[in-house]
Amino acid sequence: MDRRLISPSFLLQNSLRTYQNDLAVGCGALRPIDDDTFEIKRMYARRQSKGIGKSILAALEKGALTLKYRRILLEIGLQNQSAINFYFRIGYIICENYGKYIELRCRS
């Protein structure tokens, strides 16, 4: 399977949106990278919605396990320290840049 071509039905089946009182408060999606690895894409939760980010991440991780993926990657811009701290608290670690991010360098 060419991993660069992702069917719209895959994206619809492997993405989620969360609402509170008809207001969208969070979202996220899975994107396959290879047979064992997926990337979390478009992960977002409103700051005022306590626990939503953790719930969305747990649902995405569970979906990945159901699809038999064993590794999770995600990219966060260095300027987004609150997101970096969120993933650290949950147990994520920093890895080497991957995919289209390989050529990016850290700015000082």
Side-chain angles (χ1 to χ4, degrees), residues 46-63:
R46 287 184 181 267
R47 291 180 194 259
Q48 300 84 356
S49 304
K50 298 292 182 188
I52 294 294
K54 200 170 185 179
S55 296
I56 291 170
L57 183 58
L60 292 172
E61 291 171 338
K62 183 177 179 181

Side-chain angles (χ1 to χ4, degrees), residues 11-108:
L11 291 175
L12 286 174
Q13 293 168 10
N14 296 289
S15 65
L16 59 94
R17 288 163 299 289
T18 304
Y19 295 87
Q20 286 180 343
N21 301 321
D22 295 327
L23 176 67
V25 293
C27 60
L30 304 177
R31 183 181 79 84
I33 292 185
D34 60 36
D35 290 338
D36 292 321
T37 310
F38 78 91
E39 179 180 24
I40 294 176
K41 298 297 288 181
R42 305 294 183 226
M43 174 77 180
Y44 170 79
R46 287 184 181 267
R47 291 180 194 259
Q48 300 84 356
S49 304
K50 298 292 182 188
I52 294 294
K54 200 170 185 179
S55 296
I56 291 170
L57 183 58
L60 292 172
E61 291 171 338
K62 183 177 179 181
L65 288 173
T66 300
L67 294 168
K68 308 291 187 220
Y69 288 101
R70 300 182 325 167
R71 190 172 119 168
I72 300 168
L73 296 174
L74 57 98
E75 191 280 330
I76 305 170
L78 292 175
Q79 72 281 4
N80 195 345
Q81 194 60 49
S82 63
I84 293 168
N85 293 339
F86 168 78
Y87 289 108
F88 278 160
R89 282 192 307 273
I90 292 174
Y92 281 71
I93 61 171
I94 295 174
C95 68
E96 294 294 319
N97 287 355
Y98 62 93
K100 68 181 184 180
Y101 309 108
I102 289 174
E103 299 300 321
L104 295 178
R105 299 283 180 241
C106 297
R107 294 184 193 169
S108 28

